[in-house]
Amino acid sequence: MRILLIGEFSRLHNSLKEGLVALGHEVIIVANGDGFKNYPVDLSTKARWCETKLGNIPRQLIFRLTKFDIARIEFGIRYYLHLDKLKNFDVVQLINESPIQTTPAFERFLLKKTFKQNHKSFLLCCGIDYLVAKHLIEKKERYSIMNPYFENPKSKKEYQFILDYISNNHKKNHDLVYQNIKGVIASDMDYLLPLQKHTKFLGLVSNPINTDAIEFSELKIEDKIIIFLGINRGTYHTKGITFFENALEIIKVKYSSKIEIIIAENLPYQTYINQYNRAHIILDQVYSFDQGYNALEAMAKGKVVLTGAEKEFTQYYNLTEKVAVNALPDVDYLINELEHLINNPNEIIAIGTSARKFIEKEHNYIAVADKYLFKWNS
């Protein structure tokens, strides 16, 4: 089959492509690389002009005056220039309801053309979209990434991207997408919960992880236990980074002779990966029920990750061994979990080994690609 994957925010589509290619399919990714993360793509919609010295001057000026980023228009123009190459695919999958990331009206124009010149289209729910945002704002779960917004409305600036998804303008995107897709697939429990009753919901397909490309190395603790915290300022509140920072302040004083702490901020994807390769423990996020892509890749390497690992997740996969440490928005709880690991280094090694086995069983990129093919063809 010829398969077109539109958008890339976490390397999910790249790993899915690798699995599909291994199964003999032709796959093209069209995306802008997601800013500083710079993920690989086949057809780029990167805002190259806006990132030049000449283009950046009006870009910054317009943004200061209007809060509008003209790079979004360039994303759309560059996608438009690729349209002739985006024809006659058997399957098109959008990584969310606005995968091109241009203005809403331009997005709808481009998506209509894409739907019209291809065969079956599907939506992947692996982040915020209309139904997820609505679910979060209506407080349907016991906690969510919206907690900081509910507790401190001053954080609205960081949450504007979520609020935008329930605007009337984006609702038109949502309606257009759902009118044209055959179905929607969730990538983990956090997206299964908002979608599970929708008539077009096709079920959960786990994130694909290329276990052939990610080397597993059993953790060895020869000197200090290394704890890594990666910070993206754009998701600082939604990932609950402040809870990790506050916990580390206590931990580093109490266990200064036993631990080393690495904190990295706003790094390109490959640099970020290289930074955390030395670590034993990765601090990921506190508001999720399941693991996101960064957590899964760390688990594949055999790291112990503090992330979403709620009862809904353990029950879904029928887990009897701990494969990750469930993180909660509670500093004392996080301190206790870290202290337990520091004082029980053998448990760090055991969890890391179980994490890799879990990834190989449930997230192998070829097996997951096969599940996507089944969903698309059924």
Side-chain angles (χ1 to χ4, degrees):
M1 287 201 304
R2 297 186 72 237
I3 299 161
L4 175 63
L5 304 176
I6 305 177
E8 177 66 297
F9 300 139
S10 63
R11 210 188 177 282
L12 193 165
H13 266 172
N14 271 274
S15 294
L16 177 57
K17 174 185 173 177
E18 289 158 5
L20 292 166
V21 169
L23 292 170
H25 300 279
E26 178 189 344
V27 185
I28 296 294
I29 299 175
V30 55
N32 60 34
D34 200 21
F36 69 85
K37 297 173 189 173
N38 202 26
Y39 293 116
V41 301
D42 300 300
L43 297 173
S44 176
T45 59
K46 189 178 180 69
R48 294 195 299 272
W49 182 82
C50 284
E51 293 181 6
T52 63
K53 288 183 179 179
L54 178 64
N56 193 48
I57 294 170
R59 179 186 184 184
Q60 295 299 329
L61 180 62
I62 292 169
F63 186 77
R64 286 176 188 172
L65 293 173
T66 67
K67 301 304 178 186
F68 175 74
D69 187 356
I70 60 171
R72 294 175 63 191
I73 296 175
E74 188 175 351
F75 294 153
I77 292 170
R78 293 198 178 276
Y79 185 94
Y80 179 81
L81 295 174
H82 288 310
L83 272 175
D84 281 346
K85 303 171 189 172
L86 307 180
K87 288 180 179 178
N88 301 318
F89 284 86
D90 300 295
V91 168
V92 173
Q93 180 165 276
L94 316 181
I95 205 159
N96 78 353
E97 293 170 345
S98 298
I100 304 165
Q101 295 185 286
T102 187
T103 61
F106 199 7
E107 186 97 28
R108 291 192 292 274
F109 169 79
L110 295 169
L111 287 177
K112 283 177 186 176
K113 286 193 170 293
T114 304
F115 292 138
K116 188 174 181 179
Q117 65 188 28
N118 291 288
H119 299 289
K120 294 188 289 186
S121 295
F122 296 84
L123 173 66
L124 176 57
C125 183
C126 58
I128 301 300
D129 61 18
Y130 173 76
L131 293 175
V132 173
K134 189 168 179 290
H135 187 86
L136 295 177
I137 289 167
E138 291 174 354
K139 300 184 180 181
K140 294 290 181 71
E141 306 303 331
R142 55 189 178 273
Y143 64 82
S144 77
I145 60 173
M146 293 297 293
N147 273 35
Y149 173 74
F150 296 139
E151 294 160 8
N152 178 19
K154 290 182 180 178
S155 64
K156 182 178 179 180
K157 183 178 179 181
E158 184 173 328
Y159 283 85
Q160 191 59 53
F161 83 99
I162 296 177
L163 301 175
D164 285 345
Y165 274 95
I166 57 169
S167 67
N168 289 334
N169 215 356
H170 179 78
K171 179 65 162 51
K172 294 176 184 176
N173 284 35
H174 165 79
D175 292 340
L176 171 71
V177 168
Y178 272 79
Q179 286 162 11
N180 286 275
I181 59 171
K182 298 294 183 183
V184 55
I185 297 167
S187 65
D188 67 43
M189 297 300 302
D190 292 291
Y191 310 115
L192 179 150
L193 297 170
L195 290 173
Q196 56 191 342
K197 294 181 180 178
H198 198 282
T199 55
K200 288 202 172 184
F201 184 49
L202 300 178
L204 186 154
V205 179
S206 303
N207 282 299
I209 302 294
N210 189 334
T211 47
D212 293 333
I214 298 176
E215 183 180 352
F216 168 71
S217 179
E218 184 177 88
L219 294 175
K220 292 180 175 62
I221 302 171
E222 296 169 345
D223 185 17
K224 292 186 176 183
I225 294 168
I226 302 171
I227 303 171
F228 177 88
L229 173 63
I231 300 174
N232 175 351
R233 285 292 160 185
T235 57
Y236 183 85
H237 291 294
T238 58
K239 286 187 178 292
I241 298 300
T242 184
F243 293 98
F244 287 133
E245 288 179 323
N246 292 339
L248 288 178
E249 285 297 316
I250 304 298
I251 289 292
K252 74 179 180 182
V253 173
K254 194 170 181 180
Y255 296 96
S256 59
S257 63
K258 290 187 175 183
I259 65 169
E260 176 186 345
I261 296 170
I262 301 173
I263 297 178
E265 188 168 335
N266 282 11
L267 296 177
Y269 173 78
Q270 195 54 54
T271 308
Y272 170 87
I273 296 300
N274 292 337
Q275 284 269 359
Y276 84 17
N277 276 341
R278 292 177 53 234
H280 302 99
I281 299 170
I282 308 290
L283 307 182
D284 181 50
Q285 57 183 322
V286 304
Y287 290 120
S288 62
F289 284 31
D290 199 343
Q291 301 92 54
Y293 210 84
N294 284 347
L296 292 170
E297 288 197 327
M299 290 163 66
K301 291 190 174 188
K303 310 296 185 185
V304 175
V305 187
L306 272 71
T307 185
E310 280 286 3
K311 61 184 181 182
E312 289 87 349
F313 157 74
T314 57
Q315 289 169 1
Y316 181 85
Y317 288 105
N318 296 313
L319 294 174
T320 56
E321 293 181 336
K322 185 177 281 191
V323 300
V325 177
N326 189 37
L328 294 174
D330 181 323
V331 174
D332 291 336
Y333 169 87
L334 294 173
I335 291 170
N336 288 337
E337 292 295 323
L338 287 169
E339 284 189 320
H340 178 74
L341 292 171
I342 293 165
N343 292 321
N344 296 275
N346 287 339
E347 191 162 338
I348 294 176
I349 295 167
I351 295 172
T353 301
S354 295
R356 173 65 182 204
K357 290 178 181 176
F358 168 73
I359 298 298
E360 289 176 345
K361 180 183 177 186
E362 302 292 351
H363 293 274
N364 176 273
Y365 69 117
I366 296 176
V368 169
D370 206 35
K371 291 178 182 178
Y372 271 96
L373 291 168
F374 177 78
K375 299 286 186 187
W376 293 336
N377 289 323
S378 61

